[in-house]
Amino acid sequence: MAALVLPVWLVTAPAAGASAVADGQALASQRQCLGCHQVEARRVGPPFRAIAQRFAGRPGAARHLADAMRQGSRGQWGAIPMPAQTRLSDTDALRLAHWILTLAKTPQP
């Protein structure tokens, strides 16, 4: 089994600041996440900041979020289920999950 190599901005996310946030938001845009989610406001799904706050500090949170993205989930944020994002690679799902978790600490605009 090959080791997962994460980009430097994920490993240093708390110190990376605005560039990590911009990179994460760009990836979310590229993967069409922003069609259902926004950083601050509820759209179809919960805002990314609310997800970050719910899972902040939990062991395994990034893996849990990545799995929820790829496999889908239901009943955690209301009646509307999160459809499985089967075209999202495991690496991109983890990158997105790590970015989302940084939003719990990012100052709101």
Side-chain angles (χ1 to χ4, degrees):
M1 176 184 250
L4 179 65
V5 177
L6 297 176
V8 172
W9 69 267
L10 282 179
V11 177
T12 60
S19 67
V21 172
D23 290 344
Q25 190 151 3
L27 181 60
S29 179
Q30 292 168 359
R31 300 300 182 262
Q32 290 81 37
C33 303
L34 300 177
C36 294
H37 299 275
Q38 293 182 352
V39 172
E40 299 293 339
R42 182 171 188 85
R43 198 167 198 169
V44 175
F48 288 132
R49 189 172 311 279
I51 297 169
Q53 291 168 340
R54 180 180 284 186
F55 290 97
R58 290 190 189 183
R63 172 50 50 198
H64 172 79
L65 292 175
D67 289 346
M69 289 177 216
R70 297 201 62 219
Q71 298 169 10
S73 67
R74 54 179 49 240
Q76 295 190 21
W77 294 93
I80 300 173
M82 164 84 175
Q85 305 300 308
T86 57
R87 292 186 174 182
L88 184 64
S89 72
D90 191 51
T91 300
D92 281 350
L94 277 171
R95 288 175 62 201
L96 286 164
H98 282 284
W99 167 67
I100 290 168
L101 290 170
T102 68
L103 296 174
K105 299 173 188 171
T106 306
Q108 295 183 14

